[in-house]
């Protein structure tokens, strides 16, 4: 038996034969080409076909893993239409008089290296994307396509790395789990694995010789077993059975109240990225939506979404939730969420730069367009709105003044709306420390523990080199959370948590002791958190 340790992406167990997936990267030959115009036309034809394929992949992913996770294929299509990328291919074809395959391969390598050498983790992740799209075009040009077939039997797919397009094209009914050597926990493939509830490990030194051997992926301990002995196999089979039984028992919590043994009711909501995620909210019996990440409406488009487009999305969510609360967070772009048409530019430290509410206050027409849509949708359900990255009372007062202008303009247009609850995200230490002052201005707080953690500890949570230093249970962070809850309650605000810690079952009891009113978690965690609340003493 061989045993390897990696970083777990999803906590579950898979047992089955290994399928070693090799991308079969094509060896591209440099060939002299006298007719450069003909080579350019070959490239443009292949590029257009690649864009069509990516659009088909987007539709397939949309059905299987939702709009947010499918968006990567729209990004890939946009990258293929990027002016700099296309100019590079054209320049190599004409200046070096070479074949289109070679020009695309060199452009892909150059752009991938450029992204990989950037300090920003978001742009580093784009290196794999540009390689993926370049290989797709080369495959079309050479008529040699790397397939994503994994055979007819259920298998554990092991690979050096997996591009999102490869993952989506695999037959999900035959996919037991993933193990890769490269990639990060924030990669698109990792997100897809979590969405599909598949155990996955990254950072494992994989070997092609494992192909066909029996393996176990232990997503709880982050261990890969190759040729496991009978004792290990029996133990993992038992763990699998326990998982299935636990899932069955959790289903019995549907329709039950999220209430502590001493009778205290907690509002248990779910986080979503788009309207398509509402189905998972309803399936998992969440009591509302505690975080609608509205920025995905902007990330998925190549220009500003209109008031009507946003209104239709918010209205649909409100109608589908049928009177249950839907809390929409206003635009939160910047940092790792870049939108090209905003022209935000490069920043030395984007996490602390021009982002979220700062953009909205500097560009009030963009902000007003979103607020018009939100308030219009409020007539169709129970909508609330919250504002991200607040650091001062003055910001909140400026927001409230803009909201009053929005209401006046809706009145002038004879459009009905409700006076919705308005809250703020507490995700900066500044907001936590002055939460007693902020509570006098708003109806509720939602603690964004992801950003609050990294700002409190001065640690970039997307940097894998800092994993050893990152402590999501740091006493300073927990003290800030308690302070926010106490200050909110003292001034009439209800307080919730919508960051990752909301689903940390080891902290559920502590949050209840602090007096938290609401927890908003990934849809798949709703029933587990409900169980933890109902058992908490």
């Amino acid at each position: 038996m061989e045993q390897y340790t990696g970083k777990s992406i999803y906590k579950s167990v898979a047992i089955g034969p290994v399928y070693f997936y090799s991308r079969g990267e094509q060896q591209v030959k440099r060939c002299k080409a006298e007719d450069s115009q003909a080579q350019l036309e070959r490239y443009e034809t292949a590029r257009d076909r690649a864009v069509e394929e990516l659009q088909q992949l987007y539709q397939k992913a949309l059905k299987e893993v939702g709009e947010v996770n499918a968006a990567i294929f729209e990004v890939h299509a946009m990258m293929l239409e990027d002016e700099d990328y296309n100019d590079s291919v054209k320049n190599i074809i004409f200046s070096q008089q070479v074949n289109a395959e070679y020009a695309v391969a060199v452009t892909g390598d150059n752009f991938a290296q450029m992204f990989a050498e950037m300090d920003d983790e978001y742009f580093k992740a784009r290196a794999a994307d540009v390689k993926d799209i370049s290989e797709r075009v080369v495959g079309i040009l050479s008529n040699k396509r790397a397939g994503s077939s994994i055979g007819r039997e259920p298998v554990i797919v092991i690979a050096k790395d997996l591009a999102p397009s490869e993952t989506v094209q695999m037959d999900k009914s035959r996919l037991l789990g993933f193990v890769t050597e490269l990639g990060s926990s924030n990669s698109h493939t990792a997100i897809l694995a979590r969405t599909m509830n598949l155990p996955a490990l990254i950072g494992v030194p994989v070997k092609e010789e494992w192909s066909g051997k029996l393996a176990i992926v232990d997503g709880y301990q982050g261990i890969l077993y190759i040729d496991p002995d009978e004792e290990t196999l029996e133990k993992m089979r038992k763990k699998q059975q326990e998982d299935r039984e636990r899932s069955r028992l959790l289903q019995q919590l549907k329709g039950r109240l999220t209430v502590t043994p001493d009778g205290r009711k907690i509002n248990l909501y779910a986080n979503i990225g788009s309207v398509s995620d509402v189905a998972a909210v309803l399936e998992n019996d969440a009591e509302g939506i505690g975080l609608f990440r509205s920025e995905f409406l902007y990330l998925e488009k190549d220009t500003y979404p209109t008031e009507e487009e946003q209104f239709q999305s918010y209205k649909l969510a409100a109608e589908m939730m049928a009177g249950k609360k839907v809390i929409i967070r206003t635009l939160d772009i910047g940092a790792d969420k870049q939108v090209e048409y905003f022209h935000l530019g490069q920043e030395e430290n984007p996490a602390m730069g021009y982002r979220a509410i700062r953009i909205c206050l500097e560009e009030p027409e963009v902000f007003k367009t979103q607020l018009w849509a939100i308030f219009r949708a409020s007539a169709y359900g129970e909508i609330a709105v919250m504002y991200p990255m607040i650091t001062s009372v003055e910001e909140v007062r400026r927001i409230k003044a803009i909201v009053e202008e929005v209401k006046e303009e809706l009145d002038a247009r004879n459009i009905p709306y409700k006076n919705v609850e308005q809250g703020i995200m507490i995700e900066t230490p500044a907001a936590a420390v002055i939460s007693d002052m902020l509570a006098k201005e708003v109806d509720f707080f939602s603690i964004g523990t992801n950003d609050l953690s990294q700002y409190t500890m001065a640690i970039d949570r997307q940097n894998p080199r800092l994993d050893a230093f990152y402590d999501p249970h740091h006493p300073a962070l927990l003290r800030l959370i308690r302070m926010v809850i106490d200050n909110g309650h003292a001034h009439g605000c209800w307080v919730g948590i919508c960051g990752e810690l909301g689903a940390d079952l080891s902290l559920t009891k502590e949050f209840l002791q602090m007096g938290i009113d609401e927890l908003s978690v990934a849809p798949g965690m709703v029933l587990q958190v409900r169980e933890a609340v109902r058992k908490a003493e």
Side-chain angles (χ1 to χ4, degrees), residues 221-257:
Q221 301 298 322
I223 297 174
L224 171 69
Y225 298 95
I226 302 294
D227 282 336
D229 56 35
E230 282 301 318
E231 181 183 352
T232 303
L233 194 56
E234 185 59 32
K235 184 174 72 173
M236 289 294 108
R237 282 174 176 159
K238 185 178 179 182
K239 182 64 179 171
Q240 258 191 336
Q241 188 58 40
E242 289 172 356
D243 282 351
R244 294 190 187 107
E245 179 62 15
R246 176 166 170 72
S247 178
R248 186 186 68 80
L249 291 172
L250 284 173
Q251 296 303 307
Q252 298 176 13
L253 290 173
K254 288 184 177 180
R256 303 282 189 91
L257 291 175

Coordinates of all heavy atoms in Angstrom, one line a residue, residues 221-257:
Q221 N -9.1 13.4 5.7 CA -7.8 13.5 6.2 C -6.8 14.0 5.1 O -5.7 14.3 5.4 CB -7.3 12.1 6.6 CG -8.1 11.5 7.7 CD -8.1 12.3 9.0 OE1 -7.0 12.9 9.4 NE2 -9.2 12.4 9.7
G222 N -7.3 14.2 3.8 CA -6.4 14.6 2.8 C -5.4 13.6 2.4 O -4.2 13.9 2.1
I223 N -5.8 12.3 2.3 CA -4.9 11.2 2.0 C -5.4 10.4 0.8 O -6.5 10.1 0.6 CB -4.8 10.3 3.2 CG1 -4.2 11.0 4.4 CG2 -3.9 9.0 2.9 CD1 -4.2 10.2 5.7
L224 N -4.4 10.1 -0.1 CA -4.6 9.2 -1.2 C -4.0 7.9 -0.9 O -2.8 7.8 -0.6 CB -4.1 9.8 -2.5 CG -4.1 8.9 -3.7 CD1 -5.5 8.6 -4.2 CD2 -3.2 9.5 -4.8
Y225 N -4.7 6.8 -1.0 CA -4.2 5.4 -0.8 C -4.2 4.8 -2.2 O -5.2 4.7 -2.9 CB -5.0 4.6 0.1 CG -5.1 5.1 1.5 CD1 -6.2 6.0 1.9 CD2 -4.2 4.8 2.5 CE1 -6.3 6.4 3.2 CE2 -4.3 5.3 3.8 CZ -5.3 6.1 4.1 OH -5.4 6.6 5.4
I226 N -3.0 4.2 -2.6 CA -2.9 3.4 -3.8 C -2.7 1.9 -3.4 O -1.8 1.6 -2.5 CB -1.7 3.8 -4.6 CG1 -1.9 5.3 -5.0 CG2 -1.6 3.0 -5.9 CD1 -3.0 5.6 -5.9
D227 N -3.5 1.0 -4.0 CA -3.4 -0.4 -3.6 C -3.6 -0.6 -2.1 O -2.8 -1.1 -1.4 CB -2.1 -1.1 -4.0 CG -2.1 -1.4 -5.5 OD1 -3.2 -1.6 -6.1 OD2 -1.0 -1.5 -6.1
P228 N -4.7 -0.1 -1.5 CA -4.9 -0.1 -0.1 C -5.0 -1.6 0.4 O -5.5 -2.5 -0.3 CB -6.2 0.6 0.1 CG -6.9 0.4 -1.2 CD -5.9 0.5 -2.2
D229 N -4.5 -1.8 1.7 CA -4.7 -3.1 2.3 C -6.1 -3.3 2.7 O -6.9 -2.4 2.8 CB -3.7 -3.3 3.4 CG -3.8 -2.2 4.5 OD1 -5.0 -1.8 4.8 OD2 -2.8 -1.8 5.1
E230 N -6.4 -4.5 3.1 CA -7.8 -4.9 3.4 C -8.3 -4.1 4.6 O -9.5 -3.7 4.7 CB -7.9 -6.4 3.7 CG -8.0 -7.2 2.4 CD -9.2 -6.9 1.5 OE1 -10.3 -6.6 2.1 OE2 -9.0 -6.8 0.3
E231 N -7.5 -3.9 5.6 CA -7.9 -3.1 6.8 C -8.3 -1.7 6.5 O -9.3 -1.2 6.9 CB -6.7 -3.1 7.8 CG -7.1 -2.4 9.1 CD -5.9 -2.4 10.1 OE1 -4.9 -3.0 9.9 OE2 -6.1 -1.7 11.1
T232 N -7.4 -1.0 5.6 CA -7.7 0.4 5.2 C -9.0 0.4 4.4 O -9.9 1.3 4.5 CB -6.5 1.0 4.5 OG1 -5.4 0.9 5.3 CG2 -6.8 2.4 4.1
L233 N -9.1 -0.6 3.5 CA -10.3 -0.6 2.6 C -11.6 -0.8 3.4 O -12.6 -0.1 3.1 CB -10.1 -1.8 1.6 CG -11.0 -1.8 0.4 CD1 -10.9 -0.6 -0.4 CD2 -10.6 -3.1 -0.5
E234 N -11.5 -1.6 4.4 CA -12.7 -1.9 5.2 C -13.1 -0.6 6.0 O -14.3 -0.3 6.1 CB -12.5 -3.1 6.1 CG -13.7 -3.5 6.9 CD -14.9 -3.9 6.1 OE1 -14.7 -4.4 5.0 OE2 -16.0 -3.6 6.5
K235 N -12.1 0.0 6.5 CA -12.3 1.3 7.3 C -12.9 2.4 6.4 O -13.8 3.1 6.9 CB -11.0 1.7 7.9 CG -11.1 3.0 8.8 CD -9.8 3.3 9.5 CE -8.8 3.9 8.5 NZ -7.6 4.4 9.2
M236 N -12.4 2.5 5.2 CA -12.9 3.6 4.3 C -14.3 3.2 3.8 O -15.2 4.1 3.6 CB -12.0 3.8 3.2 CG -10.6 4.4 3.6 SD -10.9 6.2 4.1 CE -10.5 5.9 5.9
R237 N -14.6 1.9 3.6 CA -15.9 1.5 3.2 C -16.9 1.8 4.3 O -18.1 2.3 4.0 CB -16.0 0.1 2.8 CG -15.4 -0.3 1.4 CD -15.3 -1.8 1.2 NE -14.8 -2.1 -0.1 CZ -14.3 -3.2 -0.5 NH1 -14.1 -4.2 0.4 NH2 -13.9 -3.4 -1.7
K238 N -16.5 1.6 5.5 CA -17.4 1.9 6.6 C -17.6 3.4 6.7 O -18.7 3.9 7.0 CB -16.7 1.4 7.9 CG -17.6 1.6 9.1 CD -16.9 1.0 10.4 CE -17.8 1.2 11.6 NZ -17.1 0.8 12.8
K239 N -16.6 4.2 6.4 CA -16.7 5.7 6.4 C -17.7 6.1 5.3 O -18.5 7.0 5.6 CB -15.3 6.3 6.2 CG -15.4 7.8 6.3 CD -15.8 8.3 7.7 CE -15.8 9.9 7.7 NZ -16.4 10.4 9.0
Q240 N -17.6 5.5 4.2 CA -18.5 5.8 3.1 C -20.0 5.6 3.5 O -20.8 6.4 3.2 CB -18.2 5.0 1.9 CG -17.4 5.7 0.8 CD -17.3 4.9 -0.5 OE1 -17.4 3.6 -0.5 NE2 -17.1 5.5 -1.6
Q241 N -20.2 4.4 4.1 CA -21.5 4.0 4.5 C -22.0 5.0 5.6 O -23.2 5.4 5.6 CB -21.5 2.6 5.1 CG -22.9 2.1 5.4 CD -23.8 2.1 4.2 OE1 -23.4 1.7 3.1 NE2 -25.1 2.4 4.4
E242 N -21.1 5.5 6.5 CA -21.5 6.4 7.5 C -21.9 7.8 6.8 O -22.9 8.4 7.2 CB -20.4 6.7 8.4 CG -20.1 5.5 9.4 CD -18.8 5.7 10.2 OE1 -18.1 6.8 9.9 OE2 -18.5 4.9 11.0
D243 N -21.2 8.1 5.8 CA -21.5 9.4 5.0 C -22.9 9.3 4.4 O -23.7 10.2 4.5 CB -20.5 9.6 3.9 CG -19.2 10.2 4.5 OD1 -19.2 10.6 5.6 OD2 -18.3 10.3 3.7
R244 N -23.2 8.1 3.8 CA -24.5 7.9 3.2 C -25.7 8.0 4.2 O -26.7 8.6 4.0 CB -24.6 6.6 2.4 CG -23.6 6.6 1.2 CD -23.9 5.3 0.4 NE -22.9 5.2 -0.7 CZ -21.9 4.3 -0.7 NH1 -21.8 3.4 0.3 NH2 -21.0 4.2 -1.7
E245 N -25.4 7.3 5.3 CA -26.4 7.3 6.4 C -26.6 8.7 7.0 O -27.8 9.1 7.2 CB -26.0 6.3 7.5 CG -26.9 6.2 8.7 CD -28.3 5.7 8.3 OE1 -28.5 5.1 7.2 OE2 -29.2 5.8 9.1
R246 N -25.5 9.4 7.1 CA -25.6 10.8 7.7 C -26.4 11.7 6.7 O -27.2 12.4 7.1 CB -24.2 11.3 7.9 CG -24.2 12.8 8.4 CD -22.8 13.2 8.9 NE -22.8 14.6 9.1 CZ -23.4 15.2 10.1 NH1 -24.2 14.6 11.0 NH2 -23.3 16.5 10.3
S247 N -26.1 11.5 5.4 CA -26.9 12.3 4.5 C -28.4 12.0 4.5 O -29.2 12.9 4.4 CB -26.3 12.0 3.1 OG -27.1 12.7 2.1
R248 N -28.7 10.7 4.7 CA -30.1 10.3 4.8 C -30.8 10.9 6.0 O -31.9 11.4 5.9 CB -30.2 8.8 4.8 CG -31.6 8.2 4.8 CD -31.7 6.7 5.0 NE -31.3 6.4 6.3 CZ -32.1 6.4 7.4 NH1 -33.4 6.9 7.2 NH2 -31.7 6.0 8.6
L249 N -30.1 10.9 7.1 CA -30.6 11.4 8.4 C -30.8 12.9 8.3 O -31.8 13.5 8.8 CB -29.7 11.1 9.6 CG -29.7 9.6 9.9 CD1 -28.6 9.3 11.0 CD2 -31.0 9.1 10.4
L250 N -29.8 13.6 7.6 CA -29.9 15.1 7.5 C -31.2 15.5 6.7 O -31.8 16.5 7.0 CB -28.7 15.6 6.8 CG -27.4 15.7 7.7 CD1 -26.2 16.1 6.8 CD2 -27.6 16.7 8.8
Q251 N -31.6 14.6 5.7 CA -32.8 14.9 4.9 C -34.0 15.0 5.8 O -35.0 15.7 5.5 CB -33.0 13.8 3.9 CG -31.9 13.8 2.8 CD -31.7 15.1 2.1 OE1 -32.6 15.7 1.6 NE2 -30.4 15.6 2.1
Q252 N -34.0 14.3 7.0 CA -35.1 14.4 7.9 C -35.3 15.7 8.6 O -36.3 16.0 9.2 CB -35.0 13.3 8.9 CG -35.0 11.8 8.3 CD -34.8 10.8 9.4 OE1 -34.8 11.0 10.6 NE2 -34.5 9.6 8.9
L253 N -34.2 16.6 8.5 CA -34.3 17.9 9.1 C -35.0 18.9 8.2 O -35.3 20.0 8.6 CB -32.9 18.4 9.4 CG -32.2 17.7 10.6 CD1 -30.7 18.1 10.7 CD2 -32.9 17.9 11.9
K254 N -35.3 18.5 7.0 CA -36.1 19.4 6.1 C -37.4 19.7 6.7 O -38.1 18.8 7.2 CB -36.2 18.8 4.7 CG -34.9 18.8 3.9 CD -35.2 18.3 2.5 CE -33.9 18.4 1.7 NZ -34.1 17.9 0.3
G255 N -37.8 21.0 6.7 CA -39.1 21.4 7.3 C -39.0 21.6 8.8 O -40.0 22.1 9.3
R256 N -37.9 21.3 9.4 CA -37.8 21.6 10.8 C -37.3 23.0 11.1 O -36.6 23.6 10.3 CB -36.8 20.6 11.5 CG -37.1 19.1 11.3 CD -38.2 18.6 12.2 NE -38.4 17.2 12.2 CZ -37.8 16.3 12.9 NH1 -36.9 16.7 13.8 NH2 -38.0 15.0 12.8
L257 N -37.6 23.5 12.3 CA -37.1 24.8 12.6 C -35.6 24.8 13.0 O -35.2 23.7 13.6 CB -37.9 25.4 13.8 CG -39.3 25.8 13.5 CD1 -40.0 26.2 14.8 CD2 -39.4 26.9 12.5

